[in-house]
Structure formats: structure tokens, C-alpha cells
Amino acid sequence: MKLSKEKQALLATVLCLLFMLTGLIMETAQLALYPAAFILAILFGGFKQTKEGLIDTFENKHLNVDLLMALAAIGACIIGNWFEGAMLTFIFCLSGALEEYATNKSKKEISNLINLQPETALKMMPDGQTKELAVSELQIGDQLLVPKGASIPIDGLLLEGNSSIDEAAVSGESIPVEKKDGDELFGGTINLGESFTMKVTKNTEDTLFAKIIRLVDEAQNTPSKTASFIERIENVYVKVVLIIIPLMILIPYLFLGWSWDESFYRGMVLLVVASPCALVASATPATLAAISNGARNGVLFKGGVYLENLAELRAIAFDKTGTLTEGKPTVTNAVFLTENKEGLDILLSMEQKSTHPLAQAIMSYFKDDSVPLLDNLTVKNIVGFGMEASVSGTTWRIGKQSFAETAPFSTDLMQNIETLHDEGKTVIYLFKEDQLAAYFGLLDLPKPEAEQVLTYFTENGIHTTMITGDHLKTAQAVGKALPINEIHANCLPEDKTRLIKEQKEKYGVNGMVGDGINDAPALANAAIGVAMGEGTDVAMDVADVVLMKNDLEKLQMSHLLSKKLKRIVLQNIIFSAAVILVLIFSNLFQVINLPLGVIGHEGSTILVILNGLRLLRTIPTNTDKPMKSQKQATMIPEKL
């Protein structure tokens, strides 16, 4: 059985330690073969890094720190410092094992995702029986049986039954989602309820789960700007060190009166302490940990560069519908012109036969009212106007005002209705014959977390904008309820793109958050495009960051995560550079010996890696939802 890279690194570290301790005991006991134990320690501990360093040097023409460490260990042995050479190799091997652990820990999220992917599915056959097939053999249109407790094998639609689905694997949300007939299902999520049947709607490579795995994998293999910069200077840095080492040996020996042994010894110490191990490890483990943290919380970054850039954000624009708002109308005003709510039973009986979002909003608003519905009501759809029904010879209509043009409206009534229009609300009317019986104001309300997130960005000096294709009054109604700096309404896709380009030129690093096909050009032109995961595939494809659940709070968490990544990488760079400088000058003044140089240098590498692993912790974002502002409170529907 082949060991994983992490276990191989751990085994090499343990063997290196055992042979180093054996050599130390043999040396103390004055046994002549003690150098052999130290050599075995160096071979076991340094073989992997030395091999990688040589391959990198000859194949890629790139000098790295692994080669410096190998030369330092060999140099220590040449001057008879066997224990120091073995200890250098052990600590270097330990830091390498720790870095492998950090990388593995960071990449565990994608491994967990891959393991969650179902391999087989139960296909419904024409005779009513089921046949177990590999998921890769499924085709669009196939009908599947999903037993209780089983993973949903592939993306599709729920055909028969209803259930609670654990979607934590794709959204990071721990609360199960209730699904009913016709609802969308995602492969890799878990059926917590009773068994149901579903229809396949996507091929395996096009499923949401497959996209998530590709995105996380690509992100973890795309370095940040800082990591790329450090990698570029590593080659130059190592060359400079290899040039300085001979000078460090020769100049003190020829001009400062040092002995050859002392000069060579100081050269070997410099070889150790000047190696940029900690500097090289400053960014990559931290970035991987942050990307992993995001994936665990339902935020996918398409590369470390986008996560890093998020900390530099200076302006961010939001689409309105489905991004800042719920994406569906809600009844905010319900006014009946008679005290006993005459016609409510007829209204609901008519609306229950419609799938229109406005009808669904009215049904949802009155869901707690115990009103007897009329089962045998015949409803007629009047295209462009609404619905009509006849009850006991009386005609009832629900829809536009023009449905009953002759209906008399008083001045006060007209003013009240005009007020609703001014607030950007859609007004629906209920008529009894030609008399107005009731009217309703509906609006797409802001999401509960929108105010908190916009306030957060404003407080951090980030300019906020709402860009929408909706008409001005509706945009202003939502804008007044939220702390947003700028509003643009009646925008076509090209208008959104133009505005994003202008903001990019004005502010530098800007972001665009959207969920629709019409947002795709703007998402692609922003410095950072953020797609809502429940939006269109096109928006997800062109965006740089994907929020798997339509929760804006995850955007705030991502910005906090990016800022923390920036702080930790900066801490690591300053700390590692300072340690290198202190150790170099200490060596020049003959203050430290090789063991202290090894401990100081490799110890700093271990600390840098551990500091980067702090990014695996969840970033708090004020999980308690803020109280509604006075502006937003006026939009919340109340039963009248």
C-alpha cells in the first residue's frame, strides 16, 4: 500500500530523528561508527528535499532552498559537525512535513467533496423495478429512485414525493432544505427524508458538484500574487547566496586573520541562516488554508489572486433582484374597503390556481388566515389583465386597475394608491363587479442580511452601488431602505458593463455582485466578479468568486478572510526577513553557532507555517442579524 505524501514526510522525519538520537548516543559513548548513524539520519531526512531540489535545478533551471539545505548539511559533515548536519536535516524535514500537513489540511475540503460524490444510482426501469448503474452512465431524462439517507447521485428535478435535503456539501449551510415536486436537486447532497423519484437534468461533468470540485482544485493550484512574487525571487535569492558563501569563506580567511576552519564554519552557518525557507513558506500555506476555509463555508475562489485582491476592494456594485433583494414579491400592504374582508375567500380560491409570483405572494401573505376555499371555482385568465371568476352570479376580478376602468375611485383612495406607486410597489386590485373591494401593494424586499453587509462595506471605506434593470421608483424604494451610496436604474447589460468599467477606472479594485445572465458582462469586467450560487450558470462561469448560497453575509466573511490573509502573510514576511537578517549579522559577529542557526532558521519556518494555518478558523461576521433600521422597518408587511 502506497503511503500518502503526508505520511511519507512524517515517516522520514521520525526515521531522521531516531538515527540522529542514535548517533548522539553513540558519539557520547565514543563509538567509532557514530558518523554512520548521522549520515543515515541525513539520508532519510534529506533525500526527498534534495531530490526535488536537483530536479527543479536541472529540469526547470530553478534554484530553490532545498538545494541550499542539502549543501549546508554536507558542509557541516565536511567540517566534522555531524550532529549539526543531522539536526539541520531533521528540523528542515520537520518543517517540510509540517508544510505537507498544512497543504493536505488545506486541500482536505476538495478530498471530502470528491468522497461525497456518489458512484452509483438506482435507475427506474419501465417495469417499475430499479437497476443499479454507475453515475457516469446516466443520461438526461433518466428517472431515479433516491432512498432515505442516500446521497442524491446527480443534478435533477424532484418528480414525486417531498423531503428534507442536507445541502451542506454545496452551500455550507447546515440547516436542511425542504424540497417538493418540481424543485431542483443537486448531486452529492443527502436525502434526510423519505425516498422519492427524480429526473436527471444534467450530465455528470456539468453538475453543480462537479463545478465546485473543479473550482476549488483550480483555486488551490493558482497562487496568489504574493506567492508568485516570492517564487520568482527565490531563484535569484538562492543564486546570490551561493555567490556570497565563497566570499564569506575567503574574505575573512585572507583579510581578517580568521583560520580556515573558522572561515569555512561561518560560511556553512551563513548557508543555513541565509536560506529563505520561512520567506518561501510565508504565503502559499496561508493562501491554501484561506481557500479551504472559504470552500468549507460555501464560498469558492477561482484563484488565490482573487482572494488576495478582495482585501484591496475600494468599490462594490450589486445587482438588485435576487442579490440585494429576495428575488420574489412580498405583500407589504393589504387594504380591504369593507371591515369583514369581503371576497378574501374568493381571492385566495382564484390565486391558488395560478403559478404567477404575485399570486404566490398573496397566498403566502394570507397563509395563516383560516379562510374556506372554493374548490369548484372556475377561473378564467384574461391575458394582460389578470383573472376573473363568477360566484353566485357575481363577477370577481383580480389584476390591473384597467380591469374595471369604470370603477369609481375617491380622491383619498387615489392618493393612497399613488403613494404605493411612489414607493415603487406593484399594486394589485380586487374588484366585485365594477366596485373596488381591496387592493394590495407588493415589493421585492431587501434580504435580512443586506443592511448589515452594506453597512460593513461603508464603514470600511468601500463605495457601494446598486445597478438594476428595474424602473427608478422601485430601485429608489429599495435604496432608501438600505445604506447604499449610489443607485442606477433602468440599466441594460451594456449600461451595467459601462458603469463597472467607469468604477474600475475611478477606484482601482472594484467588485460586481450578480446572479443573472444580464450580469455576466459586468461580472467579467469587474476586477472581482462575485456570482450568487443560486443564479445562472453563465454568471458562475465568468465570476471570480461564487457564493454557493445566496447569502450576502458570506461576502462580508470573504472580505474579512482576505484582510486576515493579508495581515498574516505580511506578518510572515516581516518576521521571516527579520529572523534572516538577525541570524546573518549574528553569524558575521561570530555570536551564534551552527546549532543555534539551524534552530533559529528552521524554527522560524515552522512558526510561519503554523501562523498561516490560523486561516482555517471560521471568520465571525456578527451572526446575529441586525435590527431593522427605521427605513427598512417601514417596508415589512403587516396584517391589516
Side-chain angles (χ1 to χ4, degrees):
M1 180 179 172
K2 188 177 179 180
L3 295 175
S4 65
K5 286 186 177 181
E6 184 181 351
K7 290 182 178 178
Q8 288 177 12
L10 180 61
L11 179 62
T13 304
V14 171
L15 289 174
C16 181
L17 175 62
L18 289 175
F19 281 112
M20 183 181 73
L21 293 176
T22 301
L24 186 61
I25 293 170
M26 291 173 67
E27 184 179 20
T28 304
Q30 297 183 343
L31 298 177
L33 292 177
Y34 76 87
F38 287 128
I39 290 173
L40 286 173
I42 292 170
L43 288 175
F44 277 109
F47 175 77
K48 179 176 177 291
Q49 284 91 341
T50 303
K51 177 184 174 183
E52 290 176 352
L54 290 172
I55 290 174
D56 204 20
T57 300
F58 290 107
E59 290 188 0
N60 303 322
K61 304 296 187 290
H62 181 272
L63 294 172
N64 60 28
V65 295
D66 296 334
L67 197 59
L68 289 185
M69 289 298 97
L71 292 173
I74 293 170
C77 294
I78 289 174
I79 59 177
N81 290 58
W82 298 100
F83 173 70
E84 285 84 346
M87 185 172 68
L88 166 64
T89 305
F90 166 69
I91 299 180
F92 186 59
C93 186
L94 177 62
S95 67
L98 185 59
E99 188 164 0
E100 193 67 51
Y101 167 78
T103 303
N104 247 26
K105 183 79 172 173
S106 304
K107 293 192 173 185
K108 189 177 71 172
E109 303 303 328
I110 190 171
S111 301
N112 290 342
L113 287 174
I114 293 171
N115 292 335
L116 283 172
Q117 275 190 304
E119 296 180 356
T120 61
L122 296 174
K123 180 180 176 181
M124 300 288 294
M125 306 306 291
D127 60 2
Q129 300 297 311
T130 60
K131 180 181 180 181
E132 188 170 4
L133 291 177
V135 172
S136 58
E137 296 179 24
L138 296 176
Q139 296 181 354
I140 294 175
D142 285 348
Q143 293 190 16
L144 312 175
L145 176 67
V146 182
K148 180 178 181 178
S151 292
I152 295 171
I154 197 168
D155 286 11
L157 296 177
L158 196 154
L159 287 181
E160 187 177 332
N162 53 70
S163 185
S164 294
I165 308 297
D166 179 358
E167 294 189 342
V170 296
S171 68
E173 183 60 54
S174 59
I175 299 173
V177 179
E178 298 298 322
K179 299 282 186 176
K180 61 183 185 300
D181 294 0
D183 283 349
E184 192 173 11
L185 301 170
F186 302 114
T189 58
I190 301 171
N191 176 22
L192 301 179
E194 298 301 320
S195 62
F196 57 79
T197 57
M198 63 173 287
K199 182 173 75 172
V200 178
T201 58
K202 291 184 180 179
N203 295 318
T204 50
E205 64 271 17
D206 297 325
T207 64
L208 178 64
F209 208 75
K211 284 185 179 181
I212 292 173
I213 292 173
R214 284 199 300 271
L215 288 175
V216 177
D217 191 34
E218 288 170 7
Q220 291 179 333
N221 289 288
T222 306
S224 66
K225 288 190 296 185
T226 304
S228 299
F229 174 72
I230 291 174
E231 188 177 342
R232 287 198 301 272
I233 67 169
E234 179 187 9
N235 185 44
V236 176
Y237 186 97
V238 171
K239 288 178 181 177
V240 171
V241 170
L242 290 176
I243 292 171
I244 291 176
I245 297 303
L247 297 177
M248 176 66 198
I249 295 172
L250 293 174
I251 291 175
Y253 174 69
L254 295 174
F255 300 105
L256 300 179
W258 291 12
S259 67
W260 172 254
D261 288 344
E262 178 66 14
S263 297
F264 193 83
Y265 182 81
R266 289 298 158 192
M268 293 304 100
V269 174
L270 182 61
L271 187 58
V272 172
V273 301
S275 175
C277 294
L279 193 61
V280 169
S282 294
T284 300
T287 304
L288 289 176
I291 290 172
S292 177
N293 188 342
R296 188 176 67 246
N297 285 282
V299 182
L300 304 182
F301 300 95
K302 292 189 179 179
V305 63
Y306 305 117
L307 172 59
E308 191 176 60
N309 281 350
L310 202 55
E312 305 300 324
L313 194 65
R314 292 294 173 265
I316 185 164
F318 297 85
D319 174 46
K320 180 182 74 69
T321 307
T323 302
L324 287 176
T325 66
E326 297 284 3
K328 57 184 180 181
T330 301
V331 176
T332 58
N333 306 82
V335 181
F336 284 84
L337 302 183
T338 56
E339 292 184 3
N340 60 354
K341 294 186 179 179
E342 182 187 8
L344 179 58
D345 55 341
I346 298 171
L347 167 71
L348 298 183
S349 299
M350 294 170 67
E351 296 288 36
Q352 73 170 340
K353 298 180 181 294
S354 173
T355 58
H356 194 283
L358 297 178
Q360 297 299 312
I362 290 175
M363 291 297 297
S364 176
Y365 182 76
F366 290 106
K367 64 183 177 181
D368 296 330
D369 289 61
S370 54
V371 179
L373 300 183
L374 309 176
D375 294 329
N376 298 321
L377 188 67
T378 300
V379 178
K380 181 181 179 182
N381 283 303
I382 309 298
V383 178
F385 290 93
M387 295 187 297
E388 179 180 280
S390 181
V391 181
S392 301
T394 302
T395 301
W396 292 83
R397 299 181 181 92
I398 177 74
K400 294 182 177 179
Q401 181 181 351
S402 54
F403 226 151
E405 294 180 352
T406 59
F409 283 14
S410 68
T411 303
D412 289 343
L413 182 58
M414 287 298 298
Q415 287 179 346
N416 292 338
I417 292 173
E418 191 60 35
T419 299
L420 296 181
H421 283 300
D422 290 341
E423 292 172 353
K425 297 175 182 178
T426 299
V427 181
I428 300 297
Y429 303 85
L430 175 66
F431 295 99
K432 178 183 179 182
E433 295 294 352
D434 288 333
Q435 297 294 318
L436 182 65
Y439 62 92
F440 311 94
L442 298 94
L443 187 68
D444 185 8
L445 294 176
K447 291 182 176 180
E449 71 275 10
E451 182 178 3
Q452 170 191 321
V453 173
L454 289 168
T455 299
Y456 165 81
F457 282 121
T458 301
E459 289 175 348
N460 281 269
I462 297 169
H463 185 83
T464 58
T465 306
M466 179 172 70
I467 305 176
T468 178
D470 216 334
H471 57 79
L472 182 60
K473 286 186 177 180
T474 301
Q476 288 175 336
V478 175
K480 286 177 182 177
L482 296 173
I484 201 155
N485 301 127
E486 192 177 337
I487 297 171
H488 294 274
N490 300 309
C491 292
L492 297 172
E494 54 266 34
D495 298 321
K496 292 184 178 184
T497 304
R498 175 181 52 78
L499 288 167
I500 288 300
K501 287 181 176 179
E502 289 174 358
Q503 287 196 344
K504 190 175 184 179
E505 186 175 341
K506 181 178 179 180
Y507 295 100
V509 179
N510 71 321
M512 171 67 192
V513 187
D515 65 344
I517 294 174
N518 61 332
D519 298 320
L523 291 172
N525 279 279
I528 305 171
V530 182
M532 309 297 275
E534 294 177 12
T536 63
D537 289 346
V538 175
M540 290 176 61
D541 288 341
V542 302
D544 307 309
V545 182
V546 180
L547 308 181
M548 292 313 301
K549 195 163 182 68
N550 284 13
D551 185 357
L552 286 174
E553 200 171 43
K554 298 297 185 184
L555 182 59
Q556 179 183 340
M557 184 216 75
S558 302
H559 188 253
L560 288 167
L561 183 65
S562 178
K563 289 172 67 177
K564 186 174 182 180
L565 171 64
K566 183 180 178 180
R567 287 197 305 272
I568 285 179
V569 170
L570 184 61
Q571 289 169 4
N572 286 347
I573 291 173
I574 293 173
F575 173 73
S576 56
V579 169
I580 290 172
L581 288 174
V582 169
L583 291 175
I584 288 175
F585 282 105
S586 298
N587 180 51
L588 289 174
F589 291 101
Q590 301 174 292
V591 175
I592 61 169
N593 55 20
L594 188 55
L596 284 177
V598 169
I599 292 171
H601 182 266
E602 294 304 322
S604 66
T605 304
I606 292 172
L607 289 175
V608 159
I609 295 170
L610 290 175
N611 193 38
L613 285 177
R614 290 196 295 124
L615 284 158
L616 288 170
R617 296 176 184 171
T618 299
I619 307 291
T621 57
N622 245 349
T623 50
D624 294 329
K625 299 296 183 187
M627 294 294 291
K628 302 284 188 238
S629 68
Q630 188 62 40
K631 292 188 296 181
Q632 197 166 348
T634 60
M635 302 179 69
I636 299 174
E638 295 180 1
K639 290 293 179 71
L640 300 175

